[in-house]
Amino acid sequence: MIKIYHNPRCSKSRQGLQLLEDTNQEFEIIKYLDNPLSIKEIREIITTLNIKPIELVRKNEAIWKDNYKNKTLTDNQIIEALQAHPKLIERPIVTNKNLAVIGRPTEQIKTIL
């Protein structure tokens, strides 16, 4: 099942959702700001994306700049920050079985459909 981790307020996330809708495939929308992801779910996404936790962080968010920027953080601490502040998670993330991409640019999503 295809999943999109979606923030309706984000234009890139809305573009990613539109791309999925245009494919006429079934998919699940996960509004991770309304229902924050667990530490386990974040770890699974990072593993599927095959990235380091810091690569999932939106570093221009005020929360990051005010609380975490210029600090030496472990991967676990970064994951805990993502869980505590879901707004820090890059978006959109689209998963399809054992594949995943961050949909920036939106065309990246096509690579796993």
Side-chain angles (χ1 to χ4, degrees):
M1 168 67 87
I2 298 168
K3 295 179 183 179
I4 180 169
Y5 295 84
H6 178 58
N7 175 352
R9 293 186 202 114
C10 173
S11 64
K12 292 291 184 192
S13 197
R14 290 192 306 270
Q15 289 171 13
L17 180 61
Q18 184 63 55
L19 186 148
L20 289 177
E21 289 172 343
D22 291 347
T23 69
N24 293 319
Q25 296 183 59
E26 284 189 34
F27 62 91
E28 179 182 358
I29 300 171
I30 299 168
K31 294 183 180 178
Y32 63 93
L33 293 179
D34 295 340
N35 299 300
L37 303 173
S38 69
I39 295 283
K40 180 181 178 203
E41 289 170 315
I42 295 169
R43 286 185 192 284
E44 288 170 356
I45 290 168
I46 290 167
T47 299
T48 306
L49 284 167
N50 195 28
I51 61 174
K52 298 209 175 293
I54 192 68
E55 295 174 72
L56 195 58
V57 174
R58 294 176 54 82
K59 295 172 199 76
N60 287 325
E61 289 289 338
I63 295 166
W64 182 261
K65 290 178 179 179
D66 295 344
N67 299 294
Y68 303 103
K69 188 178 178 181
N70 298 323
K71 292 185 178 178
T72 303
L73 301 172
T74 66
D75 286 351
N76 285 337
Q77 289 171 318
I78 294 167
I79 291 168
E80 288 169 3
L82 292 169
Q83 200 277 325
H85 307 285
K87 192 174 182 182
L88 291 176
I89 298 174
E90 272 292 359
R91 58 197 178 243
I93 300 165
V94 177
T95 62
N96 187 3
K97 300 175 186 154
N98 63 342
L99 302 172
V101 293
I102 297 172
R104 288 176 176 268
T106 306
E107 292 72 33
Q108 281 288 103
I109 297 168
K110 294 178 183 177
T111 66
I112 65 165
L113 298 179

